[in-house]
Amino acid sequence: VGMGFLLEKVFQHGRGKILAKRPQLTDGIVALTKILSMDDQGLKVFRCPEPHRETWLRVASDLVRRMSAEVEIDVAANAMKFRSVLGLHMSMDPVLLDACGDVLAAQFAGVTKVLTGAPVQGLSVAYVVARHCEVPMVFARTGVPLTMKGQKILSAQAPSGNFNVSAEFFGPSDRVLIVDDFLASGQTAKALQEICVEAGVQIAGFAFLALNKTQLVGQRTAANGHGPTGREALGPNKVVVLAEVLGGITQGRCEVKLADWLQRLS
């Protein structure tokens, strides 16, 4: 894709047909955002215009400024906290989250479902991503409700408990995007990935607001703090984050910065 533009000619169901025939194009195709023209045979021409990159940078920069202003380190709990961005203190910013969801959704093509885990913060991020992808959101629960009794249950062990999802929500042609608020150790995302594998669906990739590169919240598995990162734990899959959090307890503070791919756009 040159000069930030992507042109795609689409008949009937469009990019789905292109991806079915040429799946190798998947990661090079961003979400198509604007119809430039349409002829009498149903030919549509789309592009992702350069100005959208400016929007991505502005939204991610807003997220970084907000997180930088709100980050707190709880030494006793070995954790970092954000007062209102993600609802950790019973409040969240729907406008900022919606804008972030738009940016994350724009980085993936051909998504048919969004999957996340049960914690409140992950649900809010997954919801806005699914809204902008215009696809259903499916969320794993740590229990099996009465409404799921008698159904085939897909399960995987996650740090917060055993994740459970009804198999009825997935089909063989689904292309699932896994979404959460933070990528730390990667164990929650890997549990959701296991559910996708058991369901027999394709994984479109992983999307997060931020990558935790600190020594906090289990990000490093080795005692010396140099174990594999959550990004490495997810292997060769496409992973998109908007911000990165560095530092931690040993430094006494956290630094929040734009993700590397966004810095290259600026």
Side-chain angles (χ1 to χ4, degrees), residues 243-264:
E244 297 178 1
V245 186
L246 303 92
I249 290 178
T250 57
Q251 290 83 0
R253 65 181 180 84
C254 287
E255 175 190 358
V256 186
K257 70 181 187 69
L258 281 176
D260 288 341
W261 71 275
L262 285 164
Q263 291 189 45
R264 290 193 292 269

Side-chain angles (χ1 to χ4, degrees), residues 162-179:
N162 200 54
F163 277 171
N164 302 284
V165 179
S166 174
E168 73 173 28
F169 296 123
F170 301 104
S173 62
D174 272 331
R175 182 171 157 78
V176 179
L177 176 61
I178 295 172
V179 178

Side-chain angles (χ1 to χ4, degrees), residues 143-153 166 168:
V144 180
L146 292 175
T147 54
M148 293 171 63
K149 298 296 183 182
Q151 299 180 15
K152 179 182 178 181
I153 303 299
S166 174
E168 73 173 28

Side-chain angles (χ1 to χ4, degrees), residues 65-82:
R65 282 193 291 270
R66 183 70 170 274
M67 292 175 65
S68 298
E70 295 192 357
V71 64
E72 299 174 355
I73 295 179
D74 187 334
V75 177
N78 187 36
M80 58 183 173
K81 300 177 181 179
F82 297 91

Side-chain angles (χ1 to χ4, degrees), residues 103-104 107-108 206-210 231 238-242 261:
V103 177
L104 290 173
Q107 311 313 311
F108 298 88
F206 298 82
F208 306 88
L209 287 185
R231 175 63 187 86
K238 181 175 182 178
V239 178
V240 176
V241 301
L242 302 184
W261 71 275

Side-chain angles (χ1 to χ4, degrees), residues 8-83:
E8 185 178 316
K9 296 180 179 179
V10 183
F11 288 95
Q12 296 180 0
H13 299 297
R15 67 184 179 204
K17 288 191 174 182
I18 290 177
L19 294 176
K21 292 182 178 181
R22 297 192 178 186
Q24 71 272 18
L25 297 177
T26 298
D27 288 343
I29 298 178
V30 298
L32 307 177
T33 56
K34 183 178 180 182
I35 297 178
L36 297 184
S37 64
M38 180 184 302
D39 67 15
D40 56 3
Q41 297 180 6
L43 172 63
K44 300 177 182 179
V45 181
F46 296 84
R47 77 173 179 182
C48 179
E50 191 73 22
H52 282 208
R53 297 189 175 199
E54 297 175 8
T55 301
W56 299 345
L57 284 168
R58 176 183 55 77
V59 170
S61 297
D62 288 346
L63 175 67
V64 167
R65 282 193 291 270
R66 183 70 170 274
M67 292 175 65
S68 298
E70 295 192 357
V71 64
E72 299 174 355
I73 295 179
D74 187 334
V75 177
N78 187 36
M80 58 183 173
K81 300 177 181 179
F82 297 91
R83 291 191 297 274

